[in-house]
Amino acid sequence: MRPDAFDPPRERLVRFGALVPARVARGEWWRVATAALLHHDVAHLAGNAVGLLVLGAALASAASPARFAIVAAGAGVGGNLAQFEFGPPAAVTIGASGMVFGLLGALIAWRAHEIRADRRALRSREYLRLFGFALLALLGVGRPGHTAWLAHAGGFLAGVLLAPRPRVASLRMVAAAQDDDQDWRRWN
């Protein structure tokens, strides 16, 4: 194995599809999707994989497989579009962290919709876990000077906008079950 196999040079990343805003502006639109598939090294790939696994598993219970795919892909592209629109033209951006932050945004939005529909649905531990994950991601994940904050923010926003909405019928069933449980406790 070559010594730079897990630390590819910038030129190789660009050749394989990294996001470079100046190139996207010249018509290479496919880069807004392919950049999410590239990673700088094994640690970068592992960090994004863990984020996608943890947040993806949580979101999978709220969304159909098709909706999950729309949220994940939309967040990845949305993050890269934010980087393209507001980032430096010569910056080279890779990674799936926009997608990870999009899943986080979708989970938070989904829970907010659920809470709005049924006040009893609030579970503070879930929020603490989600916000704790976000805080850890913001405070120290990534290599100094190499974190695409615009892609994180764009992915998060795309996730919020694409989040699944809780089904009203299922919320009514949960509320009815909770009421039945409270009635049972009152009489026993």
Side-chain angles (χ1 to χ4, degrees):
M1 187 177 330
R2 297 186 353 217
D4 66 346
F6 292 111
D7 191 10
R10 180 182 171 113
E11 298 78 28
R12 184 177 306 150
L13 293 172
V14 171
R15 188 173 59 237
F16 288 155
L19 176 72
V20 181
R23 286 183 173 227
V24 174
R26 288 193 306 253
E28 297 179 15
W29 281 96
W30 49 272
R31 292 179 178 277
V32 297
T34 57
L37 304 174
L38 299 172
H39 290 80
H40 189 270
D41 55 22
V42 173
H44 186 205
L45 176 64
N48 281 330
V50 168
L52 290 171
L53 179 67
V54 169
L55 295 170
L59 187 61
S61 67
S64 67
R67 185 60 175 230
F68 178 83
I70 290 168
V71 171
V77 169
N80 285 334
L81 285 173
Q83 185 69 30
F84 160 69
E85 187 64 35
F86 303 110
V92 175
T93 305
I94 56 170
S97 55
M99 191 180 300
V100 172
F101 276 85
L103 294 181
L104 178 64
L107 275 171
I108 291 172
W110 175 69
R111 290 297 293 149
H113 289 299
E114 197 173 49
I115 290 165
R116 213 175 309 133
D118 180 5
R119 294 275 181 220
R120 292 173 286 193
L122 176 63
R123 293 187 194 107
S124 60
R125 284 187 179 179
E126 285 181 50
Y127 271 117
L128 288 175
R129 267 186 261 149
L130 292 173
F131 284 117
F133 182 80
L135 185 62
L136 286 173
L138 291 172
L139 288 179
V141 175
R143 297 171 26 201
H146 291 87
T147 302
W149 299 108
L150 290 167
H152 291 184
F156 185 88
L157 180 61
V160 167
L161 295 174
L162 295 170
R165 306 298 188 260
R167 292 180 217 108
V168 175
S170 66
L171 289 177
R172 287 187 187 136
M173 290 179 0
V174 168
Q178 289 172 345
D179 287 343
D180 289 346
D181 188 46
Q182 288 174 358
D183 288 343
W184 183 84
R185 287 184 193 165
R186 195 174 321 143
W187 295 105
N188 291 316

